Amino acid sequence: MGRVIRAWRTHPHHGRHPISQDQAASWVGISQAQLSRIENGPPVVHLDRLAQWAAVLHIPEDRLWFALPSASEEVDEKEGTVNRRQFFSSTAATAANRLLCGPSMPGQSIGDHEAVDWLAWQLWQNRKDELDPSRIPQPIAYRLNTHPHVLRTADGAYRFTDPALTDVLVAHRVFGDIAQGSGHLLATAQTSHATDLTISALAAENEQARRGLTAWMRSGATAVLRVNSAGILAKVGAADLGDAAISAIRSDQDARHLYVTAVASRVLELPWGQAADLSGATNTQAADWTLGEGHDTKTWASRRLADELANNRDAAARWCSAVLLANCVDAEDMRMRSALMLAVRNEPCRENLRAYAAVLAGATPL
């Protein structure tokens, strides 16, 4: 399939300039580097990926050794509705295919669901709340212009009426991938707290998905895949999965740095770079340099991190908050100690109990 993709991208039919890896990769929600590995590395072995690329490139079915999903597979016969897992794992690729290979009439071949799913994926990948109209293909824009959950800003940019829709749509698409046994989309970029919460709610009812996430958390090929898997399992709400996630990130330096950075950025409202510096601080003096030495700043940070200890929706975030408290706050801070003692009484995860005890003793949870 990698050789087919490369041959298609560079075919003279496209004119003087071939289709770039970056552009082709975006159609199926992967990075340019990932597509490069597909084109130059070992053969693709996942049937869902083979089928996705075959659909994107319009490869005739009689040239394939596998069967493409039929239209009937995308419809629930009892309810008459689109199968959510199939829909979210395939709509972005289908939309991109129709767009870039060119429907004859704007909007005729693109559905509303495909259009909003495409917009959500682009917003999520670019970490933005809105998208410039110059970056939206005309058939997609045609549908978005009349969609009730999409609005145009004064500058003409497209955005959702509720930014949370991005996380929900992306979460369902990524979970569709996970449920099929693939961590491909999960390895694309670090997921957000909100995205993880939706995926974890879906994974809580799917044992196969939890097994896959556990395997990727422990031995995933990249730190992003490992930290995303740990983040989802830590939010399922089961103490054993929370302990497993914490153990994994504590022993995995790269994944730990990403998770602590994400918690610091969200809880302390820090830019990612500053949060990364804070997550690498090894003592309160280093943390003072990152946060600023003002008493009010440290007090505010201490309060925010102490409040996060009561976040019952993310066991690993509670552990990361304890790590940050150990590095950012004076061990004798009475408010912090009170918050830790309260957390000890309510904490279901053994790993977090050990972390709180370490901070109370003036030691690091690491």
Side-chain angles (χ1 to χ4, degrees):
M1 187 59 77
R3 291 170 62 188
V4 172
I5 296 168
R6 182 168 61 251
W8 186 90
R9 287 194 308 102
T10 58
H11 195 279
H13 171 78
H14 299 304
R16 296 177 57 190
H17 302 289
I19 301 296
S20 69
Q21 283 186 335
D22 208 25
Q23 185 177 16
S26 71
W27 302 343
V28 292
I30 64 176
S31 68
Q32 177 274 326
Q34 288 170 318
L35 178 53
S36 178
R37 286 194 291 273
I38 291 173
E39 290 189 3
N40 301 294
V44 177
V45 296
H46 292 292
L47 279 175
D48 60 322
R49 289 290 154 222
L50 290 169
Q52 192 175 29
W53 277 112
V56 167
L57 302 181
H58 275 300
I59 299 175
E61 288 197 54
D62 61 1
R63 298 300 181 96
L64 302 171
W65 62 264
F66 53 88
L68 292 175
S70 64
S72 61
E73 288 181 283
E74 298 182 19
V75 178
D76 186 308
E77 294 180 358
K78 181 178 179 181
E79 300 294 338
T81 56
V82 175
N83 180 288
R84 293 180 69 81
R85 187 178 76 179
Q86 178 68 21
F87 170 76
F88 281 109
S89 64
S90 65
T91 49
T94 305
N97 175 49
R98 290 171 176 169
L99 293 169
L100 299 165
C101 295
S104 56
M105 292 294 289
Q108 275 196 344
S109 300
I110 304 292
D112 286 351
H113 290 298
E114 293 171 326
V116 296
D117 188 58
W118 184 92
L119 177 62
W121 189 257
Q122 294 298 316
L123 291 172
W124 183 74
Q125 282 203 310
N126 291 284
R127 296 289 189 251
K128 293 186 177 181
D129 290 329
E130 58 187 46
L131 199 63
D132 189 272
S134 64
R135 301 185 60 183
I136 302 179
Q138 196 273 336
I140 288 286
Y142 180 88
R143 289 293 185 183
L144 296 179
N145 285 337
T146 57
H147 199 281
H149 297 305
V150 177
L151 57 82
R152 302 286 300 274
T153 67
D155 297 331
Y158 289 78
R159 64 182 301 150
F160 286 117
T161 52
D162 182 354
L165 281 172
T166 298
D167 292 309
V168 172
L169 290 169
V170 167
H172 278 277
R173 182 180 172 190
V174 172
F175 179 76
D177 207 48
I178 295 169
Q180 295 178 55
S182 171
H184 194 73
L185 295 182
L186 201 59
T188 301
Q190 189 167 355
T191 52
S192 69
H193 183 72
T195 305
D196 280 352
L197 286 172
T198 300
I199 299 174
S200 68
L202 297 168
E205 305 299 325
N206 190 308
E207 184 179 353
Q208 181 179 342
R210 295 196 301 276
R211 285 200 302 267
L213 289 164
T214 300
W216 297 327
M217 173 182 73
R218 291 171 176 166
S219 57
T222 66
V224 169
L225 177 57
R226 298 194 300 274
V227 77
N228 283 345
S229 300
I232 293 167
L233 291 172
K235 297 175 182 67
V236 169
D240 58 335
L241 291 177
D243 280 323
I246 295 166
S247 295
I249 63 174
R250 189 185 63 236
S251 59
D252 183 337
Q253 184 176 355
D254 292 336
R256 182 175 71 244
H257 180 73
L258 287 173
Y259 212 124
V260 176
T261 298
V263 171
S265 179
R266 173 175 60 85
V267 175
L268 301 180
E269 301 174 7
L270 296 173
W272 187 265
Q274 190 176 346
D277 289 339
L278 184 61
S279 70
T282 56
N283 53 53
T284 55
Q285 188 174 15
D288 286 346
W289 179 84
T290 304
L291 283 173
E293 296 184 1
H295 177 73
D296 290 344
T297 301
K298 288 185 64 175
T299 300
W300 179 84
S302 173
R303 183 179 300 114
R304 295 280 294 187
L305 291 170
D307 289 344
E308 188 66 14
L309 296 176
N311 178 4
N312 60 9
R313 303 190 71 182
D314 189 341
R318 299 196 297 273
W319 184 85
C320 291
S321 294
V323 171
L324 290 165
L325 279 168
N327 291 341
C328 300
V329 182
D330 188 337
E332 300 304 318
D333 184 311
M334 293 309 298
R335 190 183 189 284
M336 181 196 73
R337 296 184 70 83
S338 296
L340 283 166
M341 292 302 297
L342 178 61
V344 166
R345 290 197 291 271
N346 299 321
E347 180 58 55
C349 295
R350 294 189 302 272
E351 293 295 334
N352 277 336
L353 289 173
R354 294 189 183 103
Y356 303 158
V359 178
L360 286 167
T364 174
L366 300 178

